[in-house]
Amino acid sequence: MSKLKNHFIKMFITTVALAITFSIICVNVYALIPDMSRKGSVELSLFYEGEAVAGGGLKCYRFAKIEEYDAGGYIDYKYGWVSELADCGLSLTNMNKESFAKKLQKIIEDGDYTAHSQTIDDEGKAKFEELETGLYLFYQTEPAEGFECVNPFCVSLPMLEDGEYIYDIDASPKPRPLQREVPSQPESEPESEPEPESEPESEPESEPESTPEDNTSSSEESQPDSSDNHNTDDGNKEELPQTGQLKWPVAVFGAIGLLLVVTGLVLRLTSDGDMADERKPQ
């Protein structure tokens, strides 16, 4: 009777452990698989020293999409170029570099591709909605009055944050005011000292005539002061929003390992109980 009771307890604990582990696997897998049919939005806010920078326009272009591929026994996800940019010559592995965004902007503008456009409102905001999943380039061709164009940057949609995909993203690129040219100071011409008036020399008596010496005064040449023009460039680099990893099997293997540990502990406890029952005197 005691053995049968222990057997039922062991089966119950094993079933509960399996149910908990399966639930953990399902939750992690579901959370780390992007919903490629869902659309999102990106809202940009432009402020300088606490004041909204209104006016001008922003553009965005979807240059990569999410693709499924067989990773050797399971399905994984990666980014791939859209068809029109498949032969652009850039590599997506360099996406977080500032030079990547600038080169991509030039390719899009030279190729006359159609990009989404939005005007920056009086609150310094522009929102792009109904965007498909993928990678987007944001850039500016019409800056606000008194400002330069913001540096181009890339955004992934959705964005992985704290183990969850975000489909409505907020970004805050930093506008840069126009640099005023500092006028160079004209070189000062050397001032020549006035020549002193020469006093006539009197001829001494009983002395032969002497030839007056020519009194010449040399003007000192003053070295003009030159002022260096320092052009400061206080432009800040834009942090691209980071893209999320699409590697979900790590969570699956971790949950399987947890299941094995729990099962081993259950078997160890039940085995100790059976041995204790066998040692009892009949």
Side-chain angles (χ1 to χ4, degrees), residues 73-86:
Y74 62 92
I75 300 299
D76 206 347
Y77 300 87
K78 67 178 181 179
Y79 288 114
W81 289 101
V82 294
S83 58
E84 60 267 25
L85 294 176

Side-chain angles (χ1 to χ4, degrees), residues 74-231:
Y74 62 92
I75 300 299
D76 206 347
Y77 300 87
K78 67 178 181 179
Y79 288 114
W81 289 101
V82 294
S83 58
E84 60 267 25
L85 294 176
D87 300 325
C88 67
L90 299 179
S91 174
L92 291 177
T93 57
N94 299 324
M95 187 186 64
N96 290 330
K97 295 182 179 180
E98 183 180 352
S99 58
F100 174 90
K102 292 182 177 179
K103 292 177 182 178
L104 183 58
Q105 177 183 349
K106 187 175 186 307
I107 292 173
I108 293 172
E109 291 178 341
D110 293 346
D112 197 22
Y113 298 114
T114 302
H116 298 282
S117 300
Q118 288 290 342
T119 302
I120 304 171
D121 60 21
D122 294 337
E123 297 180 354
K125 295 184 178 182
K127 189 172 184 179
F128 296 85
E129 298 180 296
E130 295 296 316
L131 300 178
E132 298 180 14
T133 57
L135 295 175
Y136 286 84
L137 174 73
F138 289 84
Y139 61 97
Q140 189 174 34
T141 57
E142 299 177 5
E145 183 178 357
F147 287 84
E148 299 179 1
C149 290
V150 298
N151 290 328
F153 59 96
C154 302
V155 174
S156 65
L157 184 68
M159 180 180 294
L160 185 62
E161 184 176 327
D162 297 331
E164 182 181 358
Y165 280 110
I166 307 298
Y167 290 83
D168 296 311
I169 300 171
D170 295 324
S172 301
K174 292 186 178 180
R176 298 174 299 170
L178 288 173
Q179 298 293 324
R180 297 181 178 179
E181 295 183 359
V182 180
S184 59
Q185 297 180 357
E187 296 183 357
S188 59
E189 296 181 357
E191 297 180 358
S192 59
E193 296 181 358
E195 296 183 358
E197 296 181 357
S198 59
E199 297 180 357
E201 295 183 358
S202 58
E203 296 181 359
E205 296 180 357
S206 68
E207 287 185 2
E209 294 182 359
S210 60
T211 303
E213 296 180 356
D214 294 333
N215 296 324
T216 59
S217 63
S218 60
S219 61
E220 297 180 357
E221 296 182 355
S222 61
Q223 185 69 21
D225 296 333
S226 60
S227 60
D228 296 335
N229 298 327
H230 299 284
N231 296 325

Side-chain angles (χ1 to χ4, degrees), residues 7-20:
H7 177 72
F8 277 114
I9 294 174
K10 179 169 64 175
M11 292 295 296
F12 176 76
I13 295 175
T14 304
T15 304
V16 172
L18 287 173
I20 295 174

